[in-house]
Amino acid sequence: MTTPVPSLATTSTNSSSPFLSPGSAAQTNSLAVLHLKRDLLIPTILRAHDDLNEGYSEGKVTNTRFGSFPHSTLIGVSWGSQVRASEVDTGSRGRRGDAVGNGKKRKRGSEGAEGRVEVDSQRPAAEQGKSSDMMVVEAGQGRIVDTASRIVPPIQKAAVTASTGFVHLLPPTPEIWTSSLPHRTQVVYTPDYSYILHRIRARPGSVLIEAGAGSGSFTHAAARAVFNGYPTQACSPGRRPRGKVWSYEFHEQRFHKLKEEINEHGLAGIIEITHKDVCQDGFSVESAPSAVNATAIFLDLPAPWLALKRLARTSISSPSTPNPSSADTSPPPKEAPPQSNSILDPNSSIYLCTFSPCIEQVQRTITTLRKLGWHDIETVELSAKRLETKRERVGLQEEGLRGVNASPASVDEAVARLREVEGRSRVFHNDDGEATGSPNTSAPPATTAQVSKQQRLGNIREALEGRKLYKEGRLVHRMEPELKMHTSYLVFAILPREWSAEDESAARERWPGKAMIVGRECAPMSKRQMKKAAKAEAGGNKEFEIQQQHEQHDGNQDGLPSELLAPKIKNNII
């Protein structure tokens, strides 16, 4: 007989997502990020109670290299606050076992930390059919309780602040999530996805398709870019519909893990993730109540050219090839009419971006884009580097402090330190001579009072309180030592909307032409040309008049009437 264990995957009970509207403080069952240092962040779901009963008397606890942090000390704290670590027993003595009583066995009659006693294998015959891990005895009552039907809630104690260790509590953002998420695949970093979302024109109310969700870095950034309200909120008339991200992932384990994270982050109504291989099965969505009408597409696939064939506006069935040896003289079947693809918006241009690490992938992708009628094809490679700006403080007054250069800042400081060292040496040798009975008469006595190193460091720390460190030192800029140069090549393209003869006639009716262009030059005049024409009419531009005479002569040779070729301010326009 097995007993179900509570799962960690719990849908966020908050009405809003912490990625979109985090509020002013951390909330229960919401995502928070513990900032240990710049390149070390730990995401965690804040729980008011230890559902898995991991064995801590303080309830749910997150352990880090800088200490242990019970969630009771994090819930309700303002974002950006510094939280001190707590004294938590992380050894075997503090463990109580899991939610079904599994864990360290205690003797009969010994009371556990949660107010109950576990039972060993010797128990009444009426309970022999059940596992010993499922039976407990309530303390003080002497009766057996089946933990499969009821779990005794633990009694939490207040957390005690530790002497050292702290973290900063940060709200989740796509940028922070990219730096802290568990890497299941290669992720799209912030410099890349910020530029991609700009180029594919992802804005509030857009419908975006993502193929190859992976670890979910781009997915969270796209959800914030298209967000203009939750699906449960009514959309005002005349405004854009709610933005949505349709994400596809072919790997089943990554699909389930990302879906679990989306539910925990409160983004289930904005992100719709589907387990499908788009290269083979296309982008159709059975759960979509209506047409998707996407205007932006991002493909993070090993072979994006295979998926591009599934993104045509119309799918035309190829006619069957007749067999020349067949005696059938019936007319060939008519070609099936084109069927509209409900994924793409028929009334808007489609903006596409592909993410490919190798240049060979880029070449095949561009070849396929040209065959399928995409325009404005462009390949971009981004190289990001970070510059660190700080004040560099140099001098012996910085000795013992962190992040500074404790070397002498001038020759005077170096000479003063050497004299101090020589003075201590003289004192040492004089004391040594007195102890042996033969004093060193050659060394002169020290003229200044000698200060030990501990006293000198203590004086420096005391003087640090009155110093204005933000004004001291030299302002320097340094580039980070490790650069993430090449990530991938980005291929951008645009698929224009279909333009039929009916659309052309409707456009001419709505915007009728106001002038008829006569002559060979149909391009409009620039301001410079208009100034020359006006100057020529006033008789001040001989070069322009000669050019007009040549054009009249050429026009007369073509058989045009001379009255249509007279120079006007608006050249060749009647």
Side-chain angles (χ1 to χ4, degrees):
M1 180 177 180
T2 59
T3 304
V5 180
S7 174
L8 282 174
T10 305
T11 304
S12 177
T13 58
N14 299 331
S15 59
S16 59
S17 171
F19 279 86
L20 305 175
S21 50
S24 59
Q27 302 177 7
T28 308
N29 297 329
S30 180
L31 179 66
V33 180
L34 304 183
H35 181 275
L36 281 71
K37 55 182 182 178
R38 189 185 71 175
D39 55 347
L40 183 57
L41 301 104
I42 299 177
T44 181
I45 303 294
L46 301 180
R47 305 294 186 189
H49 302 284
D50 188 4
D51 297 333
L52 288 185
N53 196 11
E54 294 178 342
Y56 298 107
S57 301
E58 294 81 5
K60 185 67 176 178
V61 177
T62 298
N63 296 313
T64 69
R65 59 185 298 183
F66 295 152
S68 300
F69 299 89
H71 288 196
S72 58
T73 62
L74 303 176
I75 297 175
V77 178
S78 300
W79 296 119
S81 301
Q82 184 187 90
V83 182
R84 298 289 299 273
S86 301
E87 295 180 356
V88 177
D89 183 8
T90 58
S92 59
R93 294 182 179 181
R95 297 289 179 176
R96 296 193 302 264
D98 57 14
V100 295
N102 297 325
K104 186 180 67 174
K105 297 294 182 181
R106 295 185 177 90
K107 296 181 180 180
R108 181 185 296 274
S110 61
E111 184 176 352
E114 73 282 3
R116 66 185 186 183
V117 185
E118 296 187 0
V119 180
D120 56 8
S121 59
Q122 298 179 358
R123 58 183 185 275
E127 303 296 339
Q128 292 294 335
K130 295 185 178 181
S131 174
S132 61
D133 295 337
M134 299 167 53
M135 306 306 301
V136 296
V137 176
E138 290 189 354
Q141 299 182 10
R143 61 189 180 89
I144 297 176
V145 178
D146 186 0
T147 56
S149 59
R150 181 169 68 89
I151 299 175
V152 181
I155 300 175
Q156 298 183 9
K157 70 176 185 180
V160 179
T161 304
S163 58
T164 59
F166 65 89
V167 295
H168 289 88
L169 189 65
L170 301 181
T173 62
E175 292 78 15
I176 295 178
W177 178 248
T178 300
S179 302
S180 61
L181 58 82
H183 286 213
R184 296 181 288 270
T185 58
Q186 179 186 2
V187 301
V188 183
Y189 290 97
T190 301
D192 289 324
Y193 68 63
S194 59
Y195 183 72
I196 292 170
L197 292 172
H198 166 70
R199 288 292 302 268
I200 63 178
R201 300 190 181 185
R203 57 186 183 272
S206 300
V207 179
L208 188 145
I209 291 178
E210 178 198 16
S215 301
S217 173
F218 183 85
T219 309
H220 287 74
R224 183 184 62 179
V226 305
F227 174 74
N228 63 341
Y230 294 96
T232 55
Q233 301 174 354
C235 188
S236 303
R239 297 190 61 183
R240 297 175 61 89
R242 300 302 182 197
K244 197 173 185 65
V245 177
W246 297 89
S247 183
Y248 299 85
E249 176 59 45
F250 81 97
H251 194 273
E252 186 175 2
Q253 294 181 355
R254 291 198 295 264
F255 160 74
H256 290 296
K257 185 59 180 178
L258 183 57
K259 188 173 183 180
E260 176 184 326
E261 292 176 350
I262 291 173
N263 292 334
E264 289 180 345
H265 300 168
L267 299 172
I270 303 172
I271 302 173
E272 183 73 23
I273 184 168
T274 306
H275 178 219
K276 177 181 287 190
D277 185 2
V278 295
C279 297
Q280 298 293 333
D281 305 328
F283 293 85
S284 60
V285 181
E286 292 77 6
S287 60
S290 59
V292 175
N293 291 334
T295 59
I297 301 172
F298 175 67
L299 302 180
D300 187 3
L301 302 172
W305 55 89
L306 299 178
L308 290 174
K309 302 175 182 179
R310 307 284 181 174
L311 291 174
R313 289 190 180 274
T314 56
S315 57
I316 304 177
S317 60
S318 59
S320 59
T321 304
N323 189 0
S325 62
S326 176
D328 187 9
T329 58
S330 59
K334 295 183 179 180
E335 184 177 343
Q339 299 177 356
S340 177
N341 192 338
S342 60
I343 293 296
L344 305 181
D345 189 356
N347 301 319
S348 177
S349 299
I350 310 301
Y351 296 87
L352 170 78
C353 176
T354 64
F355 189 85
S356 302
C358 302
I359 194 64
E360 292 80 8
Q361 296 171 309
V362 173
Q363 293 174 352
R364 294 196 62 176
T365 301
I366 293 177
T367 302
T368 306
L369 287 172
R370 289 172 177 171
K371 291 180 180 179
L372 296 177
W374 292 78
H375 298 276
D376 296 342
I377 303 173
E378 182 182 3
T379 304
V380 178
E381 181 185 13
L382 299 181
S383 298
K385 61 181 178 181
R386 181 180 299 174
L387 296 178
E388 183 181 5
T389 304
K390 67 176 184 179
R391 287 192 173 271
E392 186 179 51
R393 305 197 308 271
V394 181
L396 297 178
Q397 73 276 7
E398 311 293 342
E399 185 180 4
L401 304 180
R402 298 180 60 182
V404 296
N405 187 358
S407 302
S410 62
V411 177
D412 296 337
E413 284 190 2
V415 172
R417 177 55 57 87
L418 289 175
R419 288 177 177 174
E420 182 181 352
V421 172
E422 290 178 356
R424 286 201 304 267
S425 176
R426 294 192 190 101
V427 171
F428 173 78
H429 288 295
N430 289 336
D431 294 342
D432 188 23
E434 294 175 359
T436 57
S438 57
N440 186 6
T441 57
S442 62
T447 57
T448 59
Q450 300 299 325
V451 180
S452 64
K453 183 177 181 180
Q454 289 76 10
Q455 294 177 352
R456 185 173 67 252
L457 296 180
N459 296 336
I460 292 175
R461 285 191 291 268
E462 291 178 0
L464 185 64
E465 299 179 356
R467 295 170 56 185
K468 296 181 180 180
L469 300 180
Y470 59 90
K471 290 184 177 180
E472 297 182 4
R474 183 180 58 177
L475 192 64
V476 295
H477 306 267
R478 287 194 178 94
M479 192 166 55
E480 60 180 346
E482 296 182 2
L483 295 180
K484 296 177 181 178
M485 297 300 292
H486 171 72
T487 55
S488 283
Y489 296 103
L490 307 177
V491 179
F492 297 95
I494 301 175
L495 181 64
R497 60 163 298 182
E498 293 181 343
W499 193 256
S500 60
E502 292 78 7
D503 297 331
E504 182 68 22
S505 60
R508 288 185 178 276
E509 291 179 0
R510 184 173 181 180
W511 296 285
K514 297 182 179 180
M516 180 180 64
I517 300 177
V518 177
R520 292 173 296 179
E521 295 183 1
C522 300
M525 295 179 61
S526 63
K527 291 184 178 180
R528 185 176 181 182
Q529 292 174 342
M530 294 175 66
K531 289 181 179 180
K532 286 185 177 181
K535 192 174 181 180
E537 284 191 348
N541 194 342
K542 300 297 182 181
E543 180 181 356
F544 187 80
E545 293 178 358
I546 295 174
Q547 181 180 0
Q548 290 293 327
Q549 293 177 1
H550 285 294
E551 291 182 355
Q552 290 180 7
H553 177 71
D554 296 338
N556 289 331
Q557 292 181 354
D558 295 338
L560 294 177
S562 58
E563 59 270 11
L564 294 179
L565 299 173
K568 300 293 182 181
I569 295 179
K570 293 184 180 180
N571 187 24
N572 294 338
I573 298 180
I574 301 177

